[in-house]
Amino acid sequence: ERHPAEAPHYARVRLLDFAVVQSILLRSSVEAMSSECGVDPWLVLSGGLCHADAEEFEDSSAHAEEEPEDLQNPSALAWTDQNASQRERLEAELTDYLLSLLGARGANMLSAAAAGADTPTETARPELLFWGCIDDRICSFRRHLEEAGGPTVETLGIAGFFDFPIRFHSADGASECILAPEGSQPKHHATESYIDEKAKGRYLRRRRLFASIELAWERWSFCPVRSLLMSLLFWPFSSMHLLLLTAFPATKRRLVQGFESAVNPRPSTRLESTMSPSDGAATLAAVFRYLGLSRDMSRMAPMVVIVGHGSRTVNNPFDAAHNCGACCGREGGPNARLLAQTANDPAVREVLEREHGLRIPADTRFVACFHDTSGELVEYFDVEDLVADTTGPSASRFERVRSLIDEVRARNALERCSKFMLADCDCDKAKALAHVHMRSTDLGESRPELGHATNAAVVIGRRELTRGIFLGRRSFLASYDPREDDDIGTNLMEVLRPTLVVCSGISLEYLYSSTEGGAGTKVAMNISGHVGVIQGTSGDLRIGLPTQMTEMHAPVRAVFVIDCPIPRLQAALSRNETLAKLVYGDWVLTYVRDPDSGKFYRHQGGTFVEVAVPELPAGLAADGTSTYMPKASEGIMNEAEAEKVVPPSQAELSERFVPFTHHLGYLHARLTGERVCFWAALIGTLGCCVVSIALHFRAAGANAPWHGDISRLLDVQLIGAEVLVVMGATFLSLCGLLFSRRYLHGEFMFARFLALHFGLLCGLSVVALCDTLEWKLVGWLILGFCSTFLIGAWNERPTARDNAAYVFALYSLSDNFFLGAVAVAMSLQPGGILGKMALQSHGEVLLAVCLVLAATIKTSQLPFANLLARSVEGSSPSSAISDGGLSVHCGVVLLATTQPLWFSAVGRLLLASIGLVTAAFCAVVAHVHADRKGGIVTAAAGTLGLIYVVLALGFPRIALVLCFGHGCLRMAQLLRGHNVILEFHELSAALGHDYVAPKEVSPMLYRFAWACYRFNSGLQLPHVCHLLPRCIRDNIRRPVRLPRSGQLVVTLLLASLAGLPFTPVTDWREHMFVALMIANAALAVLLVLLFVLAATCAVWFIFAHVIDPHRDRPQPGQSFNYAGPSSADLNDRRRAAARAAAEAVRGPDAV
């Protein structure tokens, strides 16, 4: 509030607003705790605290302490090593391995120096000098670059803003952003602009047009009338879009990129900076000195490539966590571009030589590029002259460098694919490159990349210490030459300031996110207000990283190894309190290598104590390089050498630097189980459709023989709307299933999700095809139970348990209205055959009312319009299939296939009234929903209300077509729900934030909308636990400890009591209810209310105390064997890959 510049330019920040929200949350927490402890939650705050029994709170705390603290990574792909209890052991193993490698390499360096031998990097001038970020993901990129290029390629690591902190303004219209470490306030501005004004105008106009269409589509989908028209007119487009999104993501990417490049290619740009030549020269001089380049500037390579990095992904609310940490979670491409532009400027070079005594060779060319660490794409900046001039030496060097980097991209992609369980690359680099590219653009991929997972070490020193050593993408590598620094560590401070802060922050973020759950799983996340994420429908904003980013991470603190004298490090730390706290507070493990003696010292209690260097692990060369890696002096491999060099397998790598052996076996076991479940679900889904249609044709054939005329198969009257419903439902189910294969991969409940998805399809098929109300009721019950168990899947969350119980209560009420319709129909004519009923006047009204209420209650119509908003507790695919595709439209399917039973004046008027009021109500509520999923499904309920109006007007086939188009529209919105932040930023950049931001309305309308929202969200099951005796409350609090089989048995028993179909209890209840409806309707209604209460309590007890959310986690001591290809097969494949790599880079034009 006092520093408006720190707030977003479109936000008003006030302390009063924060205090109000915080007070509301605190009061709600006190009321909730009072309710759990037996105090009436409706008492005033002071009364609640005064009347609360202290023993109640103590008992509640005691019961909470009975649960052991679980610090295991909650992902299904995490192994038992990924537990806080294993941290010290993993840190010791990592430290021993790292110090043994660095100790052996350091000893060789000292021996060579004592003998007077110069290292290759100190004699010959390299052909290529690569500057990359210190990032652990660039670690493997540098290693592959050195292997492919040989000794003529050198690499350096520097913080990803390259010591060029700037305020950057993109030409695309995005807001100005800071590209520098957190807390920096850069004084220089860098602005990107288009070179060709004519091309710029054409590009911006077309971009604005496409963005306007996209924004209009989004806004129209939240208006009931417009979304109804969209569902009717654009269902072919919506269905094709849904199919491409879920089943053919690579094809969708190619179509979109091809369209953009053909219709509206992005023009070339230039970068303009406020940095003067004097400032640029001073910054370059500082960088050259602490990187060690000032030692001999004549050795600077003729081609210097500056690589900024970032990550471009979709449907990923944690995109910033994949970007450059030294650039505030943004891309470092502009910084690299500015560095190259500054170093190539003749005026800067003149000042650099005159004032700093550093002369850049005249033939040296700096080239900047951007590396997408997710898709392994590389974009070059300002190289138009190099591409156009094909005869110059710089142009030929650039082409060779580009070929080399293309080879490195492929190698890096292949290495990354070793931890992508769904990657089937089989040592094929082209397949690997295509796979990682697809992951970055696939909306159904919850793991576009693993980010900094497995990060563990930070080495600050010369590249000679680590070159050729396999570090498994686990190390940040910062270049620092201790020979070029003074005693107080002037250069060291420049390296430590960004490196220590950024790397320790990343390390601790992954450590605590992997052991304390972080933000939880991505698949159940919900974007709230464009500012954060929640799990499910409500709750606190989640902090930390999602499990998909930490499931491969070993929970360790970062091990810093700094190559410098101890007094120099202490002098540097004494000048920066933040850095000193990180080191002396043991937030990181700090080791110092003395560059003169080669001894290692560890920080301990404020001092540095010498430690012994462990012996090299078996299988490593004496100089510290891995036996399967070529020596730095070997250069580019020829064919004979390629035969000898055998790249490592996954198991071999895991035995060295990455503790991954047992983990890999466990992952393969899970992957096998997922494949079986997926194919079973796929076959079952198709089989359900085929069997349903076959049975329908058989029944239709009994009434109307076919006579062999194949043209009659295309007659809609013969096929019937019911068959089209089943075909449409199967299409939606298949789309959700194919999306789930990728998005739900690695979830403990993968098999349960697929089984419940199959149950939803079977239930809707029964409702659509069966011609008796009794059988339709069976499908109705199946839909309810499958939806309920999808909602309560993450039953460790109280909101999931409560919402599952609430939704099931409404489902149970709807089921009993349906059962009442069955009873009325049977009283009119036994058997209830739809085509043969002779309805009487009073029976017709009662039957119509029961059917209409059964359909509208189960599909989130007033007064229970919040049913869908409470249902999106599960995964995004589950919400899309259930709340966007199948269950949400089951009421329309029921009424469309039972039209003769309710299509009276009373039934039509009741249905139309409910639909119109719900559409108006949801239209205003959807616009004040803060969470994305809640807003989508509330808008869907409003559109569904108008579909009911169409049905009441007597157009059942149009209503069913609308259901299919509406299902495609809402499924696509829910599946890409996490992409809303990226889409908002892109639309804001193209159209302006004020154009995209929600429009202001009158205060009266907003208050009305907010009142409707409060009514909608305020409907919930009442608190009754405090009304029970204390002994019962104590027993309810204690969880039921049951084995996995016991949980299944108890769940089935309680579900049977709650109305699960095909059980004796359900059959007895239905027959008794039908008999009572005929004999004593009042008693039947009382029985219904009691049953709804008992069934709801049973379902709540299942989720709260029976189903253990951690039952599927691997147990300590459990082992799995790696069941991959044989060693002989792996060796043959690796030799073939090595030969291909050698041929790709061998020749007279090799770098």
Side-chain angles (χ1 to χ4, degrees):
E1 184 173 4
R2 296 181 178 179
H3 305 278
E6 296 181 359
H9 70 278
Y10 54 83
R12 182 178 63 176
V13 179
R14 297 192 306 172
L15 179 61
L16 176 62
D17 296 334
F18 172 81
V20 169
V21 174
Q22 183 74 0
S23 300
I24 293 173
L25 295 177
L26 288 174
R27 181 186 177 95
S28 301
S29 299
V30 171
E31 289 180 349
M33 183 178 293
S34 300
S35 176
E36 292 178 0
C37 296
V39 180
D40 188 350
W42 297 109
L43 292 175
V44 295
L45 185 63
S46 59
L49 292 177
C50 292
H51 288 81
D53 187 356
E55 294 182 0
E56 296 283 357
F57 287 96
E58 292 174 1
D59 292 343
S60 177
S61 301
H63 292 311
E65 291 174 358
E66 289 178 2
E67 292 291 331
E69 188 177 15
D70 186 9
L71 296 180
Q72 165 71 22
N73 190 303
S75 171
L77 298 186
W79 182 238
T80 54
D81 280 348
Q82 290 160 282
N83 192 298
S85 62
Q86 304 295 317
R87 178 181 58 82
E88 293 183 358
R89 178 182 63 82
L90 293 174
E91 288 176 351
E93 292 178 357
L94 167 71
T95 303
D96 289 347
Y97 188 91
L98 184 62
L99 294 186
S100 66
L101 290 178
L102 299 182
R105 176 59 63 83
N108 289 343
M109 292 169 57
L110 291 175
S111 300
D118 293 330
T119 60
T121 56
E122 292 181 337
T123 54
R125 185 188 185 191
E127 290 290 328
L128 169 64
L129 180 60
F130 174 94
W131 287 17
C133 182
I134 61 177
D135 195 282
D136 52 323
R137 294 166 293 178
I138 306 300
C139 166
S140 61
F141 199 89
R142 293 172 61 183
R143 168 166 42 84
H144 289 301
L145 191 64
E146 292 165 347
E147 292 170 10
T152 59
V153 173
E154 293 183 8
T155 66
L156 296 173
I158 180 175
F161 74 111
F162 300 101
D163 264 18
F164 276 75
I166 55 174
R167 298 180 183 271
F168 175 68
H169 194 283
S170 172
D172 289 340
S175 302
E176 184 181 84
C177 60
I178 292 178
L179 301 182
E182 185 67 29
S184 301
Q185 295 296 329
K187 62 179 181 179
H188 296 295
H189 294 255
T191 303
E192 185 184 34
S193 59
Y194 296 107
I195 299 176
D196 189 339
E197 289 296 326
K198 184 178 180 181
K200 167 189 172 181
R202 181 174 61 251
Y203 170 75
L204 293 180
R205 285 193 302 271
R206 294 179 180 178
R207 181 166 174 252
R208 186 177 181 85
L209 173 63
F210 297 145
S212 300
I213 295 174
E214 183 179 352
L215 181 62
W217 181 274
E218 166 72 11
R219 288 179 171 172
W220 282 24
S221 68
F222 279 78
C223 173
V225 176
R226 292 172 177 173
S227 62
L228 190 74
L229 294 176
M230 292 166 60
S231 302
L232 179 64
L233 300 178
F234 299 108
W235 68 264
F237 170 79
S238 298
S239 59
M240 182 59 64
H241 174 250
L242 179 63
L243 181 64
L244 291 174
L245 184 154
T246 56
F248 304 102
T251 302
K252 178 178 179 293
R253 183 199 74 229
R254 287 193 290 268
L255 290 175
V256 172
Q257 292 178 347
F259 176 81
E260 290 178 348
S261 61
V263 176
N264 197 31
R266 189 173 189 266
S268 299
T269 63
R270 59 172 171 258
L271 188 67
E272 299 174 340
S273 171
T274 60
M275 183 175 292
S276 65
S278 177
D279 291 339
T283 304
L284 282 176
V287 173
F288 289 157
R289 286 194 174 94
Y290 74 71
L291 290 180
L293 296 176
S294 60
R295 187 180 182 87
D296 185 3
M297 292 291 291
S298 63
R299 287 196 66 257
M300 185 170 291
M303 182 68 68
V304 180
V305 178
I306 316 297
V307 182
H309 77 98
S311 179
R312 296 172 180 174
T313 59
V314 296
N315 217 22
N316 179 21
F318 293 86
D319 183 61
H322 288 150
N323 278 318
C324 180
C327 295
C328 281
R330 301 182 178 96
E331 296 179 358
N335 302 77
R337 189 177 186 180
L338 179 60
L339 189 155
Q341 179 177 295
T342 302
N344 288 328
D345 188 351
V348 173
R349 293 193 178 192
E350 180 183 351
V351 175
L352 183 67
E353 183 177 4
R354 183 180 67 250
E355 297 184 2
H356 303 278
L358 300 176
R359 181 179 180 275
I360 299 176
D363 63 341
T364 296
R365 172 66 182 265
F366 287 76
V367 174
C369 61
F370 168 77
H371 175 214
D372 179 2
T373 58
S374 179
E376 290 297 340
L377 302 178
V378 174
E379 175 188 359
Y380 297 91
F381 300 116
D382 305 324
V383 293
E384 291 79 8
D385 59 328
L386 296 179
V387 175
D389 182 15
T390 58
T391 60
S394 296
S396 60
R397 294 192 192 102
F398 174 68
E399 287 303 318
R400 292 197 295 269
V401 167
R402 187 157 60 176
S403 300
L404 178 63
I405 290 181
D406 287 343
E407 167 67 18
V408 171
R409 289 170 47 227
R411 292 190 183 190
N412 206 39
L414 186 60
E415 181 177 333
R416 290 174 54 201
C417 285
S418 65
K419 289 190 177 180
F420 293 147
M421 292 297 104
L422 295 182
D424 185 18
C425 302
D426 194 27
C427 295
D428 189 321
K429 291 180 291 187
K431 288 183 180 179
L433 199 57
H435 178 79
V436 298
H437 187 198
M438 184 195 71
R439 295 181 79 95
S440 66
T441 58
D442 182 9
L443 290 166
E445 181 54 66
S446 58
R447 300 169 183 81
E449 66 166 310
L450 298 180
H452 300 282
T454 72
N455 80 88
V458 183
V459 181
I460 300 177
R462 290 163 288 175
R463 180 54 173 163
E464 287 84 357
L465 275 174
T466 55
R467 177 161 180 151
I469 299 178
F470 178 78
L471 296 177
R473 294 169 61 89
R474 301 195 70 190
S475 296
F476 297 88
L477 302 177
S479 295
Y480 165 72
D481 194 338
R483 300 169 297 181
E484 295 297 307
D485 203 359
D486 53 31
D487 292 338
I488 62 173
T490 302
N491 293 342
L492 179 62
M493 175 61 75
E494 296 299 321
V495 180
L496 284 180
R497 186 181 295 113
T499 302
L500 191 53
V501 172
V502 172
C503 297
S504 65
I506 292 173
S507 171
L508 294 172
E509 182 180 35
Y510 273 80
L511 170 62
Y512 292 120
S513 295
S514 62
T515 57
E516 298 183 359
T521 178
K522 270 186 186 179
V523 302
M525 279 182 183
N526 196 355
I527 306 297
S528 181
H530 291 189
V531 297
V533 297
I534 58 177
Q535 287 286 336
T537 61
S538 61
D540 293 335
L541 294 179
R542 304 303 296 263
I543 60 174
L545 301 173
T547 57
Q548 284 78 3
M549 292 179 64
T550 62
E551 60 199 4
M552 298 293 181
H553 184 67
V556 296
R557 287 172 293 172
V559 179
F560 274 73
V561 179
I562 305 173
D563 188 28
C564 75
I566 293 177
R568 185 182 302 174
L569 174 62
Q570 293 173 329
L573 295 178
S574 66
R575 302 196 303 274
N576 191 303
E577 184 181 1
T578 300
L579 303 184
K581 286 181 177 180
L582 289 172
V583 173
Y584 296 139
D586 284 336
W587 292 103
V588 297
L589 300 176
T590 307
Y591 289 82
V592 176
R593 177 188 177 272
D594 189 290
D596 297 325
S597 65
K599 295 181 180 180
F600 286 84
Y601 301 85
R602 175 183 178 176
H603 169 259
Q604 185 174 343
T607 60
F608 288 88
V609 181
E610 183 179 354
V611 294
V613 178
E615 295 183 359
L616 278 172
L620 296 183
D623 61 353
T625 56
S626 302
T627 53
Y628 50 79
M629 292 296 180
K631 305 298 185 295
S633 59
E634 291 180 359
I636 299 174
M637 297 176 292
N638 56 37
E639 187 169 354
E641 292 170 335
E643 276 291 337
K644 301 176 183 178
V645 176
V646 181
S649 67
Q650 292 178 353
E652 290 170 342
L653 291 182
S654 66
E655 292 170 359
R656 287 178 163 82
F657 197 65
V658 183
F660 200 56
T661 307
H662 296 295
H663 195 171
L664 184 63
Y666 166 72
L667 293 178
H668 277 275
R670 288 210 63 89
L671 182 62
T672 301
E674 287 184 0
R675 285 173 176 167
V676 172
C677 294
F678 170 74
W679 283 106
L682 183 63
I683 295 172
T685 300
L686 296 174
C688 177
C689 179
V690 173
V691 171
S692 300
I693 295 175
L695 292 176
H696 181 78
F697 277 131
R698 182 178 179 182
N703 298 326
W706 177 26
H707 302 300
D709 186 3
I710 195 169
S711 64
R712 294 184 62 197
L713 289 174
L714 302 178
D715 186 1
V716 176
Q717 296 296 330
L718 176 63
I719 296 178
E722 299 88 349
V723 174
L724 296 180
V725 169
V726 174
M727 295 174 64
T730 303
F731 173 82
L732 297 179
S733 297
L734 285 175
C735 289
L737 178 63
L738 294 173
F739 189 91
S740 300
R741 178 64 189 101
R742 307 186 303 278
Y743 202 72
L744 297 182
H745 162 59
E747 292 296 324
F748 281 117
M749 290 168 281
F750 182 86
R752 187 202 301 184
F753 287 144
L754 299 192
L756 293 174
H757 294 172
F758 175 69
L760 290 174
L761 176 61
C762 292
L764 188 63
S765 300
V766 171
V767 172
L769 293 178
C770 292
D771 58 355
T772 63
L773 286 180
E774 293 90 329
W775 275 103
K776 286 182 181 292
L777 177 59
V778 171
W780 200 254
L781 293 174
I782 293 174
L783 281 170
F785 273 92
C786 290
S787 298
T788 299
F789 277 87
L790 284 173
I791 296 168
W794 279 276
N795 58 312
E796 68 268 24
R797 299 200 312 265
T799 54
R801 301 193 296 264
D802 296 343
N803 285 332
Y806 174 80
V807 170
F808 183 81
L810 297 183
Y811 281 170
S812 184
L813 186 62
S814 169
D815 298 341
N816 283 280
F817 273 113
F818 200 137
L819 188 56
V822 173
V824 173
M826 293 183 66
S827 67
L828 294 173
Q829 180 174 347
I833 304 301
L834 297 182
K836 302 177 181 179
M837 284 190 176
L839 299 177
Q840 301 173 359
S841 57
H842 297 292
E844 178 182 356
V845 172
L846 185 57
L847 182 60
V849 170
C850 287
L851 284 176
V852 169
L853 291 180
T856 54
I857 290 175
K858 201 158 192 169
T859 52
S860 195
Q861 302 296 290
L862 279 176
F864 305 110
N866 64 343
L867 183 144
L868 287 179
R870 296 288 187 88
S871 300
V872 288
E873 283 285 353
S875 66
S876 295
S878 300
S879 299
I881 294 175
S882 176
D883 307 317
L886 301 185
S887 292
V888 68
H889 299 110
C890 64
V892 178
V893 173
L894 173 66
L895 296 181
T897 56
T898 60
Q899 188 177 14
L901 300 181
W902 61 269
F903 202 70
S904 61
V906 175
R908 297 171 68 183
L909 180 61
L910 178 62
L911 182 62
S913 301
I914 293 176
L916 283 173
V917 175
T918 303
F921 178 84
C922 292
V924 296
V925 173
H927 284 84
V928 295
H929 248 287
D931 63 297
R932 176 63 175 174
K933 290 182 181 178
I936 292 174
V937 297
T938 302
T943 307
L944 192 60
L946 293 186
I947 296 179
Y948 278 125
V949 174
V950 173
L951 195 59
L953 293 175
F955 302 102
R957 294 186 182 276
I958 295 179
L960 293 176
V961 173
L962 286 170
C963 285
F964 178 73
H966 185 238
C968 293
L969 170 66
R970 299 304 179 188
M971 279 190 66
Q973 284 185 315
L974 287 169
L975 291 177
R976 60 185 297 134
H978 293 166
N979 206 48
V980 63
I981 298 178
L982 175 63
E983 293 170 354
F984 176 80
H985 286 301
E986 291 178 344
L987 292 176
S988 298
L991 302 173
H993 179 271
D994 295 336
Y995 190 85
V996 177
K999 304 301 180 184
E1000 291 189 8
V1001 297
S1002 65
M1004 182 180 298
L1005 177 58
Y1006 183 80
R1007 291 193 184 99
F1008 172 74
W1010 182 252
C1012 293
Y1013 171 76
R1014 291 297 298 166
F1015 167 79
N1016 202 43
S1017 60
L1019 287 178
Q1020 58 184 353
L1021 297 178
H1023 294 281
V1024 296
C1025 288
H1026 65 281
L1027 301 177
L1028 301 175
R1030 178 171 177 177
C1031 59
I1032 298 179
R1033 295 200 307 268
D1034 292 343
N1035 291 326
I1036 289 178
R1037 288 199 196 105
R1038 295 188 177 95
V1040 180
R1041 305 288 186 181
L1042 293 173
R1044 186 183 180 89
S1045 57
Q1047 295 176 37
L1048 178 61
V1049 171
V1050 174
T1051 298
L1052 290 176
L1053 289 176
L1054 292 176
S1056 300
L1057 295 176
L1060 187 69
F1062 303 115
T1063 60
V1065 176
T1066 302
D1067 292 341
W1068 171 80
R1069 180 182 65 87
E1070 291 176 355
H1071 286 91
M1072 185 177 66
F1073 177 78
V1074 171
L1076 285 176
M1077 279 291 293
I1078 299 173
N1080 190 337
L1083 184 59
V1085 172
L1086 179 60
L1087 178 65
V1088 165
L1089 295 178
L1090 291 176
F1091 173 77
V1092 170
L1093 177 61
T1096 303
C1097 292
V1099 169
W1100 177 85
F1101 190 80
I1102 288 174
F1103 291 120
H1105 297 292
V1106 176
I1107 300 179
D1108 180 9
H1110 307 310
R1111 64 192 179 280
D1112 293 320
R1113 289 189 180 180
Q1115 300 301 319
Q1118 189 176 1
S1119 62
F1120 293 87
N1121 293 323
Y1122 172 69
S1126 65
S1127 299
D1129 293 339
L1130 284 173
N1131 286 331
D1132 291 341
R1133 296 178 191 177
R1134 293 197 296 271
R1135 288 193 180 97
R1139 281 196 299 272
E1143 292 173 359
V1145 298
R1146 191 177 64 249
D1149 294 332
V1151 177

